[in-house]
Amino acid sequence: MKVSYQWLAEYVDVTGFTAEELAEKLTRSGIEVDIVEDRNKGVSQVVVGFVKSREKHPDADKLSVCIIDAGQGEDLQIVCGAKNVDAGQKVPVAMVGAVLPGGLQIKRAKLRGVESQGMICSAKELGLNDKLLPKEIQEGILVLPEDTEIGKSVLDVLAIDDKVLELDLTPNRSDCLSMLGAAYEIAAILGSEVKLPDVETVLQAAGAATVKASERISVKITAAEQCSHYAARLIEGVRVGTSPLWIQNRLMAAGIRPINNIVDITNFVMLEYGQPLHAFDAEQLNNGHIDVRLAQPGEKLVTLDDVERTLEPHMLLITDGTTPVAIAGVMGGANSEVTEATTRILLESAKFAGSSVRRTSRQLGLRSEASLRFEKEVNPEAVLPALNRAAALIAQYAAGQVADGIVEAVAGTHQPVSIELAADRVNHYLGTELTLAEMSQIIERLHFAYEQAGEGKLLVHVPSRRGDITRDVDLIEEVARLFGYDNIPTTLMTGVTTPGSLSKEQSIRRIMRNLLTQSGLHEVITYSFTHPDQTTSLPGLYPDAKPISLAMPMSEDRSQLRTSLLPHLLDVVSYNRNRTMDDVAIFEVGKVFVTDEASLTALPEEKLLLSIVLTGKRRQAHWAQKSEAVDFYDIKGIFDRLISYLGIQGLSYTSASPDGFHPGRTAELSLQTAEGHRVIGRIGQLHPTVQQQRDLEDTYVLEVEVAPILAATNDVVVYKLLPRYPSIGRDLAVVVDANVPVGLMEQSITEVAGDLLESIQVFDIYTGERLGANRKSVAIALVYRHSERTLLDEEVTELHAKVVQTLEQQYEAELRK
């Protein structure tokens, strides 16, 4: 929002304060001022001159010799090269000795033998933003209105001797998107009064209305949720032309281009009150009727920028009962535009829902000063005052006859906000010792009405222009900023403090990450959104999960929530292999989203997973060793090390053949819980078809649920004394059927040996023709130890014999000799 210092001074007394000082005070009170722009770019001694005559230069086709009355007593002769200069005009004249932007000094000069005693200026030469002026003025000298006083300083005529404060407003302070809102803010800071525009006097001076508005126009609100109030006035006998120079100056100071007196007045009042208005050519409306409704599917409208817009059912329209004439709060339609031939105007002022205007504006790519204000919710009680102010100005500067009465429709009324403010609560929040009387003075400076509400309390009635104040803490903030943040004492924080710590889940997740990186893996983070094909090509742990599509996806590649981490990890592998990084060892701890509902009615279940992917070489070739490719036992060993470190017991591997995995080289992971064995994940090699599709070598993956691991982990570290008594080792080698899982054999040995078995380790597995078909030899090292005494060789021999006997009975094992 750009606030003109001169314009602001019309509403509030700023005598004794410069624009820079006001900017400092505004910033300190919470309304940040980005910059203070000086509209005078270095202009001096430029006055209004009257072109008495214009003659062609005798020696130059493109130059003119003009005789100028500049109000100085003697006429001036000035040579001018502008095409649009002509006798009878009033123009800016830079006198001899004048200075223009850029330090240009005007001197007497001779141009092609003819003396020139000054310079006739264009808008650009005066440092004005000529882009805000009509094209014909941009390309020539600036022609001033006929009633401009000769000899008057151009600084006063064009309001150049002004400064503009550019406010950087937060979204909640929409009240300061108007000059009156800024005036109330300045008045609160300075303790001044606000002078509001005198509308009634101007309307009375326009004379008695000859017709009633209700006899010529009618208003209806069909979309009550999107429009709570719509008001209109009828103005007849309008003469569309150029707006007064003072209105043009105000608009240009705010960065708005003047167009004509009708449009300029609606823009002026929008800046003044913060209430956008729109003027319709009443002759183009069907019987002067207005119906505020939602668009119909496929409905179209050509807007004022001559672009045909296809409308959607959620978009709010202003119609004449049948045909759309404007997109509510965004832009008018070309079919009801005010033109030079317009004589009857229906002037609109309304309260549209900010959410509706925001959605429509963004979808159509139309951002305007009006939509900006509607989006942030305009003052509901400014609808009628702004309408009357604009009608009065049109009557004054466009010769309009304002019809008697306002035609309006109301679908909802504003509920006044009253808040109880307690002095002790204010002081508790701010650390101050303000009295209730001091707080009352601040409330008065804000121009808020209030009354006593008991001892130490005020009942404050918040005006509708301050929609950001809804709770007592909002009022406390107002007290703080007007009391002055610099005046609030600095106090140390008090209260009970506790040292920070990690939760069990955070601690274990950190341990997992550290152990996996120590194992040579790199952690990666991939998108939670994925392509629909990714959820079907490798379903992971939840093959029956239903796809969850996003309502507004970034792209098709990110249009669904993932149900597995593996597809994106394999994308990472492919990305690295395409860049000659063939040996990849990565992991991710992340969430997937699972639901069994085809039509999602509740939030999906979020599950935290750990996934690992290995491919390529375990180690590279070296002069002392050959290169080795990773295999199933590399990824199993990494996970076993993690489980062992976390102290988890009861993990088992069972052969499985899920989709996307290599049959015979894949296992399900199960964990012993209080409810029994629970499948928590899968580990194995990708199916050759999947590897071929992704152009991968042998690739091994693991995916497990983290929640069961967290539940089974005891995060309390327990230390054990070093053994005091010696151990006794025994090795055995047995031949069993090739399909017998070694893990089951280990489990049986552990059950038989009991507490005396300290460790068990498989150190060799052999297959060959000597053993016979489908047979394998398993060599196992067992270590026995008693914690409180030395074991006897005889009792170890007896126990070891029981182990062998158990293997023979349960697995038909033959002791290998």
Side-chain angles (χ1 to χ4, degrees), residues 119 145 171 198 206 232 267 291-292 324 380 506 619 679 732 743 752 772:
M119 175 180 174
D198 185 1
N267 284 333
D291 183 10
V292 185
Q506 292 171 329
R619 63 186 182 192
V679 176
L732 67 87
V752 173

Side-chain angles (χ1 to χ4, degrees), residues 51-64:
V51 183
K52 300 178 69 174
S53 66
R54 169 188 173 274
E55 302 291 340
K56 181 180 174 297
H57 192 289
D59 294 326
D61 293 337
K62 296 184 178 181
L63 297 179
S64 302

